[in-house]
Amino acid sequence: MAVDELQAIIQKCQILEEADFKGEDFNLFQVAGQKCLEDGYAAQLLEVIQNEKNKVIIKNMGWNLISPLVRCIFMYKQEDDKREHCLRILDQLAQLCNPKELFLGLLEQIEQTSGEQVCQTVMLLLQPLQTVLLKLQNKKAYSVGLSLAMIMNQLTPLPVPYTKQQIQEDRLGLCQCCNAVVDFAKPFVNEVVKNMEKSSEYSDVELKEELIKFCMKSLKYPLLTAQLEQLEGIEEHPFRCFAAEIIDILWNIGELIPLVFVHHKGKSPQWENQELADIERKNCADSLACLSYLMFVQHFGVERFPVVFSPSYLLLCNMTHIEVLLKRTEESVLSKGLDLFESCLLRMEDNSLLHHYLEFRDFINVPQDLVKIMTLCPMEHMRKKSLNILQLLIDKFDTEGKYTLFRCLLKTSNHAGVEGYIIKNIKDQIHLALKKEYGNIWFTGHHLISLLDLVLSLPEGAETDLLQNSDRIMASLNLLRYLVIKDCESDNQTGVWTTLGKIEQNFLKPLRVGLNMSKAHYEAEIKNKKENRKEAQSSNTVCSVTVSGEKMPAMTTGMQLQVLHSALFTFDLIESVLARVEELIEVKTKAVMDEN
């Protein structure tokens, strides 16, 4: 019988000195204890552990029971008395065992767990692990750090609940587990705070450093990918509670404000492997970006934030974080980047952002990231939001800033729709410049002529793909039409009349030639398709066609003809605006000549 075997080894060890325990004794105790648990004799095992005579034996050998004990706890149902006995055994072992040995045993058990049992195992062992750590005297900071790192490493592979239903179900227990880990860390936070209060020059920074590492890991996972908006029907949003606790820890240990404005002050690991160093740097950047999102968008800890910084300075500080978030493709992370950017911009007045900020690399990179989202993101609401934020950024810059940003985006966007949008903005700025009584040197005169050289041109001359560039071409023609109508040749505020010859040579004439070539090509294609359809047995013949350099999906001949006619309609539209521009130029030029 298992209990008899256990009693036999206990009686043998009771007469031995602690130093005389052998490896064989440890093995026999573990086997007998495990058998008691598996055969349902947890109550008898509990009596043995609680017996004062066995205190030395349990101190040295008890930690060996952790693994079978955890298995049995999960095996029994919640209301089973045997499960309750196992839980009491676990509590007794935390009180009686050698802290160092039990610490390693508990960590080993957490490390070995996987899949759906990760959160259950972590939550089960957090209390005994905390008890043991509080008893440790040597290497306490290291042990706390190792525990928190092990726990977070085990949780990280788990999917983060995102929808309201997933958060409410919390199928794997991640939401509950994260908040339990914060409670586990609180005594060590209090210890750091207590030591800081004793001395303004807190010398033992190791425990503080480990807590900062834990907070940084928590910011990256689960908070970076978590849904943190307030959800209707969830009174206490678990991830919002977790975020608030992380912010509180950073505030209490005096690291919240420094981390918002500068990178982690502590000693970064010196990796010999450059790849590992890059991973560490990226993880830190993700965490700091999430921290800024929590403070400036969700307003966690904002009441502690000093109200002394200008909106433009806050934007400058956050641009690095915004760039980090906008380079990600996950909706949960990308949306945080857009929200953070929007929040920073909304704090500012229009035309208040100085053009000098464009000397910072991030102020050039982030608009380009916005363009990528606008043109490549598969989610429509993200594309629309990116466009709105780009317009918001344009509105905030001063006149020279707008001018510089327009030039940059025209050169880098490589997308006709974006270029058309920028050209429309240029037209709006020219309109404001012409209305103002005082001069605007950036959207009139020689600065504007330099900008028009970029706008009123065809990338490949007459051979430019007009269909693919139709948005840009239409915007350019509308801008030119506006300039010819609004700016009289006698005033020539914009300088357009001075450079008209160049515009005709580089833009209008090649466009006319390109239109004639494109229309002839598409008309011939339509004629060819119609003739082929007559010869075919059925109008539902499926074939392929290439339009604008891209092969279209398989279509019937009728569908292909629709596409080709649509292209011709676009060319007719461009041609009508081009004809109107040429007519206006001719009329105005003739009027001036007659007047002279």
Side-chain angles (χ1 to χ4, degrees):
M1 187 178 173
V3 177
D4 294 337
E5 292 176 14
L6 180 65
Q7 288 292 357
I9 185 65
I10 288 291
Q11 286 170 8
K12 177 190 172 184
C13 292
Q14 278 179 343
I15 60 175
L16 295 175
E17 293 293 327
E18 187 175 346
D20 295 331
F21 291 154
K22 297 177 182 176
E24 180 189 355
D25 299 326
F26 284 86
N27 290 335
L28 289 172
F29 176 82
Q30 182 181 5
V31 170
Q34 181 174 333
K35 202 169 180 186
C36 284
L37 289 167
E38 290 172 349
D39 292 352
Y41 297 112
Q44 288 83 341
L45 179 59
L46 178 61
E47 287 179 14
V48 169
I49 290 171
Q50 288 176 325
N51 190 331
E52 190 70 22
K53 294 178 183 178
N54 302 328
K55 198 171 182 180
V56 175
I57 299 170
I58 301 304
K59 176 188 172 185
N60 288 276
M61 302 184 188
W63 66 273
N64 281 307
L65 297 175
I66 291 296
S67 182
L69 192 58
V70 169
R71 283 200 303 273
C72 289
I73 289 172
F74 288 139
M75 185 175 68
Y76 296 127
K77 291 182 180 177
Q78 196 76 27
E79 63 278 359
D80 197 320
D81 287 343
K82 291 174 184 175
R83 187 177 194 275
E84 184 57 36
H85 290 140
C86 289
L87 290 171
R88 288 176 64 189
I89 290 171
L90 183 60
D91 182 57
Q92 285 293 307
L93 292 178
Q95 302 297 332
L96 300 172
C97 287
N98 180 310
K100 182 182 175 182
E101 300 291 350
L102 186 58
F103 167 69
L104 295 174
L106 291 169
L107 271 198
E108 184 181 12
Q109 194 59 38
I110 291 172
E111 185 180 22
Q112 289 175 353
T113 188
S114 61
E116 296 188 1
Q117 281 201 333
V118 168
C119 291
Q120 296 177 51
T121 304
V122 169
M123 285 190 285
L124 174 67
L125 300 181
L126 279 177
Q127 187 57 56
L129 184 59
Q130 185 189 68
T131 302
V132 169
L133 286 169
L134 290 170
K135 287 182 178 182
L136 287 177
Q137 299 301 321
N138 298 325
K139 295 189 176 179
K140 185 175 186 178
Y142 170 79
S143 301
V144 170
L146 186 61
S147 302
L148 289 169
M150 178 73 72
I151 290 166
M152 295 308 293
N153 287 342
Q154 289 295 86
L155 295 180
T156 300
L158 301 179
V160 179
Y162 191 72
T163 65
K164 178 181 174 181
Q165 183 180 351
Q166 288 171 345
I167 292 170
Q168 287 176 321
E169 285 178 1
D170 193 21
R171 188 174 65 83
L172 298 178
L174 181 64
C175 301
Q176 187 182 353
C177 188
C178 286
N179 285 290
V181 175
V182 168
D183 290 336
F184 164 81
K186 281 181 180 177
F188 310 110
V189 176
N190 294 337
E191 187 175 326
V192 170
V193 173
K194 190 176 177 182
N195 288 330
M196 287 170 66
E197 288 171 352
K198 283 181 184 176
S199 170
S200 58
E201 295 181 5
Y202 179 48
S203 56
D204 184 15
V205 297
E206 290 182 359
L207 184 55
K208 183 177 179 180
E209 282 289 324
E210 296 300 342
L211 291 171
I212 293 171
K213 288 177 189 175
F214 163 65
C215 290
M216 295 290 276
K217 284 185 179 179
S218 300
L219 288 165
K220 181 172 173 60
Y221 176 93
L223 293 176
L224 184 62
T225 52
Q227 162 65 268
L228 292 168
E229 299 293 338
Q230 193 66 59
L231 296 173
E232 190 178 342
I234 300 182
E235 191 171 331
E236 288 196 1
H237 190 312
F239 288 126
R240 287 183 66 85
C241 293
F242 183 60
E245 293 283 7
I246 294 298
I247 295 291
D248 280 345
I249 290 174
L250 289 172
W251 172 257
N252 289 333
I253 63 177
E255 290 294 324
L256 180 61
I257 302 303
L259 280 174
V260 170
F261 288 105
V262 294
H263 281 279
H264 183 30
K265 294 192 306 180
K267 293 179 182 177
S268 299
Q270 297 300 311
W271 301 100
E272 291 182 9
N273 186 319
Q274 184 58 42
E275 190 176 338
L276 292 176
D278 291 341
I279 291 170
E280 177 73 17
R281 200 178 301 111
K282 182 182 181 302
N283 288 341
C284 182
D286 288 341
S287 301
L288 293 173
C290 184
L291 178 61
S292 280
Y293 169 81
L294 292 177
M295 288 206 68
F296 295 107
V297 179
Q298 296 299 334
H299 303 124
F300 287 109
V302 74
E303 69 281 356
R304 299 154 174 166
F305 198 78
V307 193
V308 294
F309 303 109
S310 69
S312 55
Y313 179 73
L314 291 180
L315 176 63
L316 175 63
C317 291
N318 278 308
M319 283 302 266
T320 301
H321 306 316
I322 291 165
E323 184 180 3
V324 166
L325 296 172
L326 293 189
K327 289 196 184 302
R328 298 285 288 269
T329 55
E330 309 96 309
E331 180 183 0
S332 56
V333 182
L334 189 55
S335 63
K336 288 180 174 66
L338 293 174
D339 288 342
L340 179 57
F341 199 7
E342 183 179 45
S343 174
C344 291
L345 290 172
L346 289 173
R347 287 184 169 86
M348 307 181 69
E349 294 182 6
D350 286 355
N351 307 305
S352 65
L353 188 59
L354 300 176
H355 60 276
H356 304 298
Y357 282 92
L358 285 166
E359 294 172 10
F360 293 100
R361 179 182 56 84
D362 297 331
F363 278 84
I364 295 296
N365 291 347
V366 168
Q368 292 175 359
D369 290 333
L370 279 179
V371 167
K372 287 177 184 174
I373 298 167
M374 286 159 49
T375 55
L376 301 174
C377 182
M379 293 164 280
E380 184 182 2
H381 66 285
M382 290 288 192
R383 296 198 300 272
K384 287 181 176 178
K385 184 160 188 173
S386 300
L387 179 62
N388 292 337
I389 291 173
L390 178 62
Q391 186 60 58
L392 199 57
L393 177 65
I394 291 168
D395 293 341
K396 300 307 172 187
F397 268 112
D398 61 14
T399 310
E400 186 177 347
K402 289 182 174 70
Y403 177 88
T404 308
L405 184 60
F406 291 157
R407 288 189 69 91
C408 172
L409 291 176
L410 284 172
K411 288 179 177 179
T412 60
S413 67
N414 297 316
H415 189 279
V418 175
E419 290 164 0
Y421 187 79
I422 297 302
I423 292 167
K424 181 183 175 298
N425 266 277
I426 292 171
K427 176 174 165 287
D428 293 341
Q429 291 304 313
I430 294 169
H431 180 69
L432 289 173
L434 293 176
K435 279 172 63 177
K436 288 179 181 176
E437 293 179 6
Y438 56 89
N440 179 335
I441 63 168
W442 294 101
F443 290 96
T444 56
H446 71 276
H447 286 299
L448 178 58
I449 290 171
S450 174
L451 193 57
L452 291 179
D453 286 342
L454 283 176
V455 173
L456 302 176
S457 64
L458 293 176
E460 297 169 32
E463 295 179 2
T464 300
D465 187 332
L466 302 185
L467 200 59
Q468 190 171 334
N469 287 277
S470 59
D471 287 342
R472 176 193 170 121
I473 291 167
M474 285 296 291
S476 299
L477 285 171
N478 282 325
L479 172 59
L480 183 55
R481 179 173 59 178
Y482 171 83
L483 291 172
V484 172
I485 292 171
K486 282 289 182 182
D487 192 15
C488 299
E489 189 171 356
S490 55
D491 295 336
N492 196 23
Q493 286 178 267
T494 61
V496 69
W497 294 101
T498 309
T499 190
L500 194 56
K502 191 177 179 182
I503 292 170
E504 287 180 337
Q505 190 65 35
N506 294 342
F507 183 57
L508 298 179
K509 285 181 181 178
L511 181 57
R512 173 62 70 187
V513 174
L515 276 171
N516 292 336
M517 289 167 56
S518 298
K519 287 180 73 175
H521 171 74
Y522 276 80
E523 283 167 354
E525 192 71 24
I526 288 171
K527 184 180 178 183
N528 187 36
K529 293 292 174 190
K530 285 179 178 178
E531 288 174 358
N532 289 344
R533 185 162 65 171
K534 288 175 185 176
E535 294 172 7
Q537 292 178 355
S538 168
S539 62
N540 291 326
T541 303
V542 175
C543 49
S544 63
V545 66
T546 300
V547 177
S548 298
E550 294 182 11
K551 193 170 184 178
M552 303 294 287
M555 298 186 294
T556 64
T557 306
M559 291 164 68
Q560 293 173 54
L561 284 168
Q562 277 187 326
V563 171
L564 294 168
H565 278 296
S566 176
L568 271 182
F569 176 78
T570 301
F571 297 145
D572 288 340
L573 199 61
I574 293 173
E575 190 172 37
S576 67
V577 182
L578 174 59
R580 178 60 179 151
V581 169
E582 289 173 335
E583 181 189 345
L584 285 168
I585 292 172
E586 186 180 347
V587 168
K588 285 227 173 184
T589 307
K590 189 172 182 298
V592 170
M593 288 173 65
D594 291 345
E595 192 175 309
N596 290 339

